[in-house]
Amino acid sequence: MAEAAALTASNKKALPVRGVHHLVLTTDDMKVTIDFYTEVLGMKLVHAMKVPPGLGTGSTNRGNPPFENIRHYFFDMGNDSLLAFFEIPKGEKPQSDRDAIGGMQHLSFVVRPQAAFEALLERLKARGIEYRGPSKMVSGPGYSVYFYDPHGARLEASCDHVHEEPSVIRDATQAKNNVIEELRTLWDDPQWIAKVTGDQP
Ligand SMILES: [Fe+2]
């Protein structure tokens, strides 16, 4: 409790967010989704359930899709994170626009080592799934390919083939000057920039 109070008292302390617990996408065909994520990406299905009654259309809905007893399946996407899917009844919702504000533009998986990345390309080829790349990653060394899941979710596989020890954050971290230069184009207020970049206590 003391720890919680200390974190509440200061907005300058980093909250101990470790990473993604689960990310939920939608499908209208769970069988096709299972085949894709298990066979192409090699993820294990670890939890298969139907959403309990009342959470769809009842007053206890807390943001779930407005349908009763729909499937909610979870895959192990590695590094102790889950990728989950809600199965929306066919024809009930439109195809999503990945560029809509607040939407999911794409999801990038770390795929390592390089042999696994190459095996993924072979799987995509073998199934006739189109992909773009490999192309050089913007954030750090290594390569990415882009492709789509059966329902149009844009996926990326990223492989840092240079470092022995992988670190997404290390690879992405810029020199502070570069960050500051860019921030100036957003909000040219030195005090604000100092705060954002951690120069102020
Ligand atoms: Fe990306």
Side-chain angles (χ1 to χ4, degrees), residues 176-186 193:
K176 195 184 258 188
N177 277 348
N178 294 340
V179 178
I180 289 171
E181 205 176 306
E182 166 53 32
L183 284 175
R184 280 203 190 110
T185 71
L186 171 68
I193 289 175

Side-chain angles (χ1 to χ4, degrees), residues 68-142:
E68 285 300 326
N69 294 111
I70 59 171
R71 293 190 173 90
H72 192 186
Y73 285 22
F74 298 77
F75 299 87
D76 174 357
M77 69 164 157
N79 208 28
D80 206 29
S81 291
L82 295 164
L83 176 62
F85 285 86
F86 280 130
E87 188 182 46
I88 306 297
K90 263 194 200 306
E92 289 292 336
K93 289 284 176 186
Q95 180 70 33
S96 78
D97 173 356
R98 66 179 168 276
D99 299 324
I101 306 304
M104 194 205 78
Q105 215 288 335
H106 68 279
L107 165 62
S108 178
F109 302 110
V110 172
V111 178
R112 274 182 59 97
Q114 197 172 354
F117 185 77
E118 282 160 14
L120 170 65
L121 298 188
E122 291 307 316
R123 290 181 190 189
L124 293 170
K125 270 184 222 157
R127 286 164 178 79
I129 298 168
E130 279 182 39
Y131 61 86
R132 302 193 75 154
S135 45
K136 231 190 123 347
M137 266 195 279
V138 179
S139 57

